[in-house]
Amino acid sequence: MYHPYLKEEHNMFRSSLRKFLQKEAYPHYEQWERDRLVPRSFWEKMGMQGFLCPDVDEQYGGSGADWGFSVIINEELERVGSGLIGVGLHNDIVVPYITEYGTDEQKKRWLPSCTKGNMISAIAMTEPGTGSDLAGIKTTAKLNGDHYIVNGQKTFITNGIHCDLVIVACKTDTGAVPAHKGISLIAIERGTEGFSRGRKLEKVGLHCQDTAELIFEDCKVPVQNLIGEEGKGFQYLMKKLQQERLVVAIAAQVSSEHMFSLAMDYIKKREAFGKSISQFQHIQFKMAEMATDIEMGRAFLDGLISEHIHGKEVVVKVSMAKFKLTEMSRKIAAECMQLHGGYGYMEEYEIARRYRDVPVASIYAGTNEIMKVIIAKNLGL
């Protein structure tokens, strides 16, 4: 498949990554699903091969590569299984907060380990009573000498069990008006006094992807762990959420392409009434409809990625892509399961897992309803 923003070196990188995943991921993925966890050893192997945080500067352990390499990593991991989204979150969502807003000391302290897979990262925004309304978070961080004292709970945290470094959205000024101006980002490391993990959450899908509750009880964090400036956390989050939503859109598109491929293989092999079911006009029409949606989705997404790589303003288009492509993947998951007939409901067929994994993409990184609010606002409504 042709991507206008990729060159020969990107294709060579993709080939290398695919060979790595054929050996280190595909044969083990179903076991990881049963274990409900991707082992840390996989992260370390990814790091050893240069597949973590490729855009981080060389002085901090990365390759200083353009974001096209990150696109490839997200695409190939999604082809293995949606449960590997934690790697994309680490590479393209959490670490960029450090590379853009971190001090040189913070970069030297954390980034080399992040690129090696020795330090797994997470970001903690959502709380038990606060989802899309980030301005309403209750977790506090009160300055006490040369430390912040953090109190609160976070939930639905991707990489919550494995994480060694978590960037926590908290209120450093509870009296700020408007409320979002009191939000700051503070990095908290594994082993910090007062930081503990709650339940590893059981989800409908994404079984191998660890999602957990995080608890902060008089958690004592050095002031040196403040990311950027106090009171600018909400501003940082709103800026970085664009790339996060683009990562979600990429995964949704690739998932749709993969499910279509699964269905195509199945309908050509399955026979009914003396012939392949791919010869029935109804099924041909279903495949034609899905192929059209997927092709149009890919064209829009590739243009959007190219604009993002070139630093263009893409807030509205990212919201459109996140909303439309995740909705498309839900529809295609249902259609492809139906085309598999009774076998589509069997765990031995991959489409069953894909059907479970797809729906949550329309919820995380901002619900699709929030995406529509953003689009409508930018239409002047």
Side-chain angles (χ1 to χ4, degrees):
M1 185 176 293
Y2 171 71
H3 300 297
Y5 47 86
L6 300 184
K7 300 176 182 178
E8 182 58 31
E9 58 263 33
H10 294 98
N11 296 329
M12 293 171 63
F13 179 81
R14 187 191 296 275
S15 177
S16 176
L17 177 58
R18 281 184 176 175
K19 289 179 182 177
F20 169 82
L21 294 175
Q22 287 290 345
K23 179 182 178 182
E24 302 293 348
Y26 282 100
H28 311 295
Y29 191 82
E30 290 305 322
Q31 185 59 50
W32 296 346
E33 286 277 283
R34 290 189 289 271
D35 293 342
R36 296 298 200 262
L37 199 66
V38 177
R40 292 185 70 97
S41 59
F42 176 72
W43 286 82
E44 292 165 356
K45 289 174 183 177
M46 288 278 289
M48 288 175 61
Q49 297 298 319
F51 299 135
L52 294 180
C53 315
D55 55 342
V56 168
D57 287 345
E58 291 184 44
Q59 63 178 314
Y60 302 119
S63 303
D66 66 71
W67 203 65
F69 289 90
S70 288
V71 173
I72 291 169
I73 293 170
N74 284 303
E75 289 183 338
E76 294 305 317
L77 290 176
E78 178 61 35
R79 289 191 173 97
V80 178
S82 300
L84 292 176
I85 58 167
V87 177
L89 179 125
H90 172 79
N91 286 354
D92 303 309
I93 298 169
V94 185
V95 168
Y97 283 98
I98 302 171
T99 58
E100 182 162 349
Y101 305 118
T103 64
D104 191 52
E105 186 277 331
Q106 289 172 341
K107 293 174 184 177
K108 289 177 180 177
R109 180 158 41 122
W110 296 322
L111 291 181
S113 294
C114 287
T115 62
K116 293 175 184 175
N118 299 328
M119 177 174 278
I120 297 172
S121 65
I123 186 162
M125 291 183 271
T126 305
E127 298 180 357
T130 306
S132 298
D133 180 19
L134 286 177
I137 62 173
K138 304 298 183 185
T139 298
T140 59
K142 296 182 179 180
L143 189 60
N144 182 12
D146 58 357
H147 286 77
Y148 287 103
I149 305 301
V150 180
N151 282 284
Q153 293 185 0
K154 299 291 184 176
T155 193
F156 306 144
I157 307 305
T158 301
N159 296 343
I161 295 297
H162 271 330
C163 68
D164 306 289
L165 182 73
V166 55
I167 295 178
V168 182
C170 46
K171 287 280 184 69
T172 48
D173 182 359
T174 56
V177 179
H180 68 78
K181 290 190 175 182
I183 295 176
S184 301
L185 302 182
I186 297 176
I188 302 179
E189 297 171 88
R190 177 186 289 273
T192 300
E193 180 183 351
F195 170 31
S196 63
R197 295 153 215 268
R199 296 180 301 147
K200 181 177 180 297
L201 302 174
E202 292 294 325
K203 307 183 296 297
V204 172
L206 302 180
H207 288 163
C208 69
Q209 195 286 306
D210 87 80
T211 308
E213 298 172 326
L214 303 181
I215 302 166
F216 306 96
E217 298 175 297
D218 292 330
C219 183
K220 191 176 180 181
V221 187
V223 292
Q224 291 87 355
N225 284 25
L226 175 70
I227 301 295
E229 299 178 36
E230 267 199 15
K232 290 192 175 181
F234 188 82
Q235 175 184 326
Y236 299 155
L237 291 169
M238 290 303 100
K239 182 177 179 181
K240 290 301 178 185
L241 274 169
Q242 303 317 309
Q243 184 160 290
E244 178 175 356
R245 289 164 182 164
L246 183 51
V247 168
V248 174
I250 290 169
Q253 175 67 31
V254 173
S255 182
S256 294
E257 292 168 357
H258 185 73
M259 290 185 291
F260 179 85
S261 178
L262 292 175
M264 182 65 78
D265 287 344
Y266 181 80
I267 64 171
K268 288 180 177 179
K269 296 173 183 176
R270 180 80 166 99
E271 292 189 358
F273 305 103
K275 61 182 180 179
S276 164
I277 63 172
S278 64
Q279 296 180 42
F280 292 113
Q281 189 180 63
H282 170 77
I283 289 179
Q284 292 175 350
F285 282 6
K286 286 293 183 183
M287 298 302 287
E289 291 167 5
M290 287 191 288
T292 302
D293 287 342
I294 289 169
E295 190 67 26
M296 294 179 73
R298 172 54 74 177
F300 183 79
L301 180 62
D302 276 350
L304 174 57
I305 292 171
S306 184
E307 289 184 37
H308 178 64
I309 289 174
H310 287 90
K312 295 185 179 180
E313 175 60 56
V314 292
V315 172
V316 178
K317 287 186 177 180
V318 162
S319 301
M320 290 175 172
K322 195 273 182 185
F323 146 58
K324 195 66 176 180
L325 297 183
T326 57
E327 291 294 328
M328 178 181 75
S329 65
R330 289 172 64 180
K331 176 183 175 183
I332 287 177
E335 293 282 13
C336 290
M337 175 179 268
Q338 187 73 19
L339 288 172
H340 277 74
Y343 290 105
Y345 204 63
M346 298 295 106
E347 286 292 336
E348 63 191 275
Y349 280 79
E350 186 182 344
I351 190 61
R353 163 164 57 85
R354 295 282 176 172
Y355 181 83
R356 290 196 310 270
D357 289 348
V358 157
V360 71
S362 64
I363 298 173
Y364 56 44
T367 64
N368 282 0
E369 289 73 22
I370 294 295
M371 297 304 99
K372 294 174 187 177
V373 169
I374 294 170
I375 295 166
K377 182 178 179 180
N378 282 274
L379 289 175
L381 299 175

